[in-house]
Amino acid sequence: VSDAENWFCECPKLYSGKLCQFATCDENPCGNGATCFPKSRQDAVCLCPYGRSGILCSDGINISQPSFSGTDAFGYTSFLAYSTIPNIAFYYEFRLKFQLANHHSALQDNLIFFTGQKGQGLNGDDFLVLGLRDGRVVYSYNLGSGTATIISKPLDLTLNIHVIHLGRYLQKGWLKVDDQKNKTVTSPGRLVGLNVFSDFYLGGYREYTPELLPKGSRFKNGFQGCIFDVQVRTSMDQEFRSPGTPEGHPNSGRSVGQCKDSPCSLIKCRNGGKCIEGGSTVYCDCLTGWKGAFCTETVSVCEPEHDPPHLCKQGGTCVPLPNGYVCHCPLGTTGTYCEQG
């Protein structure tokens, strides 16, 4: 379209900018460093960073008991990342509590926490990992000369809150879950120190590239439920303290909510749309024919989302009319739908 020198493109809904060069997430509607994900060709979902919630992640939330939602529909996990835990090489002890979102989540392959060497994904990479597999707690570590693993008895799913206490001194590790008996293991090989460089991840990984994680440390999904009162000490005569610098503060996170809070309680999706929440991230999943943050806008007959799609062929431009549409045909084509040469 031009008026004298001022020409511009009329863009399809997904795009904006003079040359229609911006896609849904390029002109990021999300605030506060959220991850923008194109839910459809017109609508974005904002995956909220730590401490933020709402459709555009504009609301602040206080998190004392983080809740994690596992892996979302877009393939992202919710997680918290704390600074690397110092002086962890020869001795550590962790305590934490967790609450499962549901019984099914205990049977999945879910990460509780991880710290380690990331980048090669080799057998000899040092790591420390805790997770859930088949209803049991799994604790593994590798000091560089082989993996040691302790697997608890099946969790008693009638318990609302589970308590884990675990530790390691040189090669010898131990795990205590709820009121189960303490179990021990000794790592193979000759190495005695744990050398880790990554952040301390809680509930999920920032980016999930299994090949980059050390072998033996890989859990398929993020945790589903709440993890709280995480504490660590790296010598017998130390007090337990929360991870993070300053203490208790994560460096980053995504889609982490406050336990028992529901962001959907604050949002009304219209026209049959369904509210979907994952931790602090929330959006409306609209029925066919509707779009927009709250499913209040109709999908025009010419838009790519419209069902059924328009029939303009061979580069014909669909132009909506009050009832129906008409195809504007490019040079060299004709017919109702530009179907004839």
Side-chain angles (χ1 to χ4, degrees), residues 78-141:
S78 63
F79 75 91
L80 289 177
Y82 295 87
S83 52
T84 308
I85 294 167
N87 311 321
I88 200 174
F90 302 114
Y91 181 93
Y92 58 73
E93 226 178 313
F94 285 89
R95 296 196 298 218
L96 62 92
K97 297 179 182 147
F98 70 88
Q99 201 168 2
L100 294 164
N102 49 50
H103 286 183
H104 175 64
S105 69
L107 301 173
Q108 291 186 306
D109 191 16
N110 289 355
L111 178 81
I112 298 175
F113 72 62
F114 166 87
T115 184
Q117 295 174 352
K118 292 178 68 177
Q120 274 75 51
L122 305 173
N123 251 332
D125 285 351
D126 290 22
F127 68 82
L128 156 63
V129 73
L130 181 70
L132 284 178
R133 207 168 264 150
D134 301 330
R136 301 164 187 260
V137 174
V138 178
Y139 160 39
S140 288
Y141 57 91

Side-chain angles (χ1 to χ4, degrees), residues 40-217:
S40 72
R41 291 197 180 129
Q42 282 113 353
D43 285 339
V45 172
C46 302
L47 310 178
C48 296
Y50 177 71
R52 292 280 166 181
S53 184
I55 291 242
L56 296 176
C57 306
S58 45
D59 312 332
I61 50 169
N62 272 335
I63 297 175
S64 55
Q65 297 190 342
S67 78
F68 301 86
S69 49
T71 310
D72 65 25
F74 314 110
Y76 288 91
T77 53
S78 63
F79 75 91
L80 289 177
Y82 295 87
S83 52
T84 308
I85 294 167
N87 311 321
I88 200 174
F90 302 114
Y91 181 93
Y92 58 73
E93 226 178 313
F94 285 89
R95 296 196 298 218
L96 62 92
K97 297 179 182 147
F98 70 88
Q99 201 168 2
L100 294 164
N102 49 50
H103 286 183
H104 175 64
S105 69
L107 301 173
Q108 291 186 306
D109 191 16
N110 289 355
L111 178 81
I112 298 175
F113 72 62
F114 166 87
T115 184
Q117 295 174 352
K118 292 178 68 177
Q120 274 75 51
L122 305 173
N123 251 332
D125 285 351
D126 290 22
F127 68 82
L128 156 63
V129 73
L130 181 70
L132 284 178
R133 207 168 264 150
D134 301 330
R136 301 164 187 260
V137 174
V138 178
Y139 160 39
S140 288
Y141 57 91
N142 188 341
L143 309 178
S145 52
T147 301
T149 299
I150 304 178
I151 300 176
S152 77
K153 287 194 162 122
L155 288 172
D156 174 356
L157 296 178
T158 62
L159 293 174
N160 185 23
I161 291 179
H162 301 277
V163 181
I164 296 181
H165 196 171
L166 64 87
R168 189 195 116 251
Y169 174 58
L170 303 178
Q171 291 181 298
K172 196 173 163 68
W174 52 270
L175 170 71
K176 175 129 181 59
V177 175
D178 297 332
D179 47 14
Q180 298 181 14
K181 244 176 49 229
N182 193 22
K183 294 180 97 166
T184 60
V185 72
T186 302
S187 58
R190 302 173 59 178
L191 298 177
V192 297
L194 176 74
N195 300 302
V196 301
F197 311 113
S198 81
D199 283 354
F200 178 73
Y201 289 95
L202 196 64
Y205 303 105
R206 175 182 285 116
E207 66 301 278
Y208 188 55
T209 320
E211 298 71 52
L212 296 184
L213 291 165
K215 282 205 164 70
S217 73

Side-chain angles (χ1 to χ4, degrees), residues 1-11 17-21:
V1 182
S2 74
D3 63 85
E5 303 66 272
N6 293 327
W7 59 271
F8 60 95
C9 299
E10 269 186 4
C11 301
K18 188 164 181 177
L19 300 173
C20 306
Q21 73 273 40

Side-chain angles (χ1 to χ4, degrees), residues 161-337:
I161 291 179
H162 301 277
V163 181
I164 296 181
H165 196 171
L166 64 87
R168 189 195 116 251
Y169 174 58
L170 303 178
Q171 291 181 298
K172 196 173 163 68
W174 52 270
L175 170 71
K176 175 129 181 59
V177 175
D178 297 332
D179 47 14
Q180 298 181 14
K181 244 176 49 229
N182 193 22
K183 294 180 97 166
T184 60
V185 72
T186 302
S187 58
R190 302 173 59 178
L191 298 177
V192 297
L194 176 74
N195 300 302
V196 301
F197 311 113
S198 81
D199 283 354
F200 178 73
Y201 289 95
L202 196 64
Y205 303 105
R206 175 182 285 116
E207 66 301 278
Y208 188 55
T209 320
E211 298 71 52
L212 296 184
L213 291 165
K215 282 205 164 70
S217 73
R218 300 168 191 173
F219 284 81
K220 285 199 212 55
N221 302 302
F223 188 79
Q224 292 166 290
C226 305
I227 304 176
F228 43 97
D229 299 351
V230 179
Q231 294 188 306
V232 59
R233 67 178 180 183
T234 50
S235 81
M236 285 291 279
D237 43 18
Q238 238 182 25
E239 295 287 299
F240 275 94
R241 45 178 301 173
S242 304
T245 323
E247 192 182 334
H249 289 263
N251 295 345
S252 63
R254 178 174 55 223
S255 298
V256 171
Q258 168 66 353
C259 203
K260 303 220 176 21
D261 275 9
S262 159
C264 275
S265 61
L266 308 171
I267 279 176
K268 277 232 172 332
C269 303
R270 307 285 177 181
N271 301 308
K274 192 160 130 245
C275 183
I276 310 280
E277 60 185 23
S280 59
T281 291
V282 62
Y283 65 95
C284 293
D285 195 20
C286 306
L287 289 177
T288 302
W290 297 95
K291 62 171 190 177
F294 303 101
C295 309
T296 49
E297 302 161 47
T298 53
V299 175
S300 125
V301 66
C302 286
E303 285 173 32
E305 271 77 7
H306 192 269
D307 196 10
H310 68 77
L311 299 171
C312 303
K313 301 265 188 303
Q314 310 195 64
T317 307
C318 175
V319 179
L321 298 174
N323 43 8
Y325 63 95
V326 63
C327 299
H328 282 190
C329 298
L331 209 57
T333 67
T334 182
T336 314
Y337 304 118

